[in-house]
Amino acid sequence: MSTQRIGRGWGVLAWFCGLVFFAPVAWMFLTSLHSETDAATNPPSIAAPLTLDGYTEFFNAGAWPPLLNSFSASIGSTIIVLLLAIPAAYALSIKPVEKWTDVLFFFLSTKMMPVVAALLPIYLIAQFSGMLDNISFLTLLYCSMNLPIAVWLMRSFLSEVPREILEAASIDGAGLITILRRVVAPIAMPGIAATALICFIFSWNELLFARVLTGVVAGTAPVYLTGFVTSQGLFLAKVCAAAVVVSLPVLIAGFAAQDKLVQGLSLGAVK
């Protein structure tokens, strides 16, 4: 068998796997454009008339506050994580501290404990401090969850920065903040974008803590989405419409940063 035929075979297999993974997303989007009656048919009525009633009901049911809460917590926590992770990664890669491998292992060890095991202590802390149903507390919690991953990623990215450029900037009299802002950040921008996108996705999709620690005021989009599954039944068209809307910010962010994401991941974070 020639190399060209093998390449075509792998190409066909890749397209098939892509279609298999894309099919549920396409079905969800198509179902969101159907009425509840057509969406509930078995098998699904693909040729049914299209309507935007599911999206209209979703937004009319009070979807904006949860969406804004998710944006606030995800974007706020991502910015704080980057502000903390970049200097920490700089210290661990470009200016390595003593026993830096132990420091990295400590960061990684914080992700080994099951999330459920920390749920009760965090809930009691939030209750004692009066921070239940508070979006600021959820933002800080997301920061603590994403910071270890961000440090690991940024450390790998910053290790690719040429030392000669940093030494030249230091000789010219640039301080640490200036080096980070005007030298390291532009060079490592693909890695920063990849890290920011990963932290944003993790924060946006988080459900367990948001479900337990929030209520009416600080409820996020994933928590609001679960509210469509009621004892009265599953409103499939409305759920699909809500799932499409909740998924859009992540898809838009990934599409907008796809070039820098590929460049960033190729710097060494995933090898």
Side-chain angles (χ1 to χ4, degrees):
M1 185 179 294
S2 64
T3 305
Q4 187 176 7
R5 289 184 177 180
I6 295 176
R8 288 178 179 177
W10 281 112
V12 172
L13 180 61
W15 273 103
F16 175 76
C17 293
L19 291 175
V20 169
F21 281 101
F22 180 73
V25 179
W27 176 85
M28 179 181 69
F29 177 71
L30 184 61
T31 303
S32 70
L33 298 175
H34 290 164
S35 63
E36 290 293 348
T37 303
D38 295 328
T41 58
N42 191 11
S45 180
I46 299 178
L50 303 182
T51 178
L52 295 176
D53 290 344
Y55 293 93
T56 303
E57 294 179 10
F58 172 72
F59 285 107
N60 289 340
W64 285 114
L67 289 174
L68 293 177
N69 286 336
S70 286
F71 274 113
S72 177
S74 301
I75 296 177
S77 63
T78 300
I79 293 175
I80 297 174
V81 164
L82 290 179
L83 292 176
L84 296 175
I86 293 176
Y90 180 86
L92 292 171
S93 59
I94 299 176
K95 298 290 185 179
V97 297
E98 186 179 356
K99 297 184 178 180
W100 60 271
T101 54
D102 295 338
V103 176
L104 284 178
F105 178 77
F106 170 76
F107 279 116
L108 185 62
S109 66
T110 61
K111 305 297 295 181
M112 296 180 182
M113 183 174 65
V115 178
V116 179
L119 187 59
L120 180 58
I122 292 177
Y123 177 85
L124 294 177
I125 292 173
Q127 185 183 42
F128 179 78
S129 60
M131 299 293 284
L132 285 176
D133 200 14
N134 189 299
I135 196 65
S136 298
F137 183 80
L138 200 63
T139 301
L140 294 177
L141 183 61
Y142 289 165
C143 290
S144 64
M145 293 170 59
N146 293 328
L147 185 59
I149 298 176
V151 172
W152 267 84
L153 291 175
M154 289 307 306
R155 191 262 167 191
S156 180
F157 295 142
L158 295 185
S159 63
E160 303 291 333
V161 176
R163 300 295 188 275
E164 294 79 8
I165 298 178
L166 302 176
E167 293 174 358
S170 179
I171 293 174
D172 290 340
L176 177 60
I177 302 300
T178 303
I179 292 176
L180 290 175
R181 181 171 57 89
R182 304 187 62 178
V183 179
V184 175
I187 296 176
M189 187 54 66
I192 295 174
T195 304
L197 182 59
I198 291 173
C199 293
F200 176 81
I201 292 174
F202 285 172
S203 300
W204 182 270
N205 293 335
E206 200 282 323
L207 175 62
L208 181 60
F209 284 113
R211 182 72 176 178
V212 175
L213 300 177
T214 64
V216 179
V217 177
T220 59
V223 175
Y224 181 75
L225 182 60
T226 60
F228 287 96
V229 183
T230 65
S231 58
Q232 298 176 353
L234 177 63
F235 299 95
L236 191 58
K238 191 186 299 184
V239 171
C240 289
V244 170
V245 173
V246 173
S247 302
L248 276 179
V250 173
L251 296 177
I252 294 174
F255 181 79
Q258 60 178 336
D259 295 336
K260 292 187 179 299
L261 179 62
V262 173
Q263 296 174 24
L265 293 180
S266 65
L267 286 177
V270 179
K271 280 188 176 179

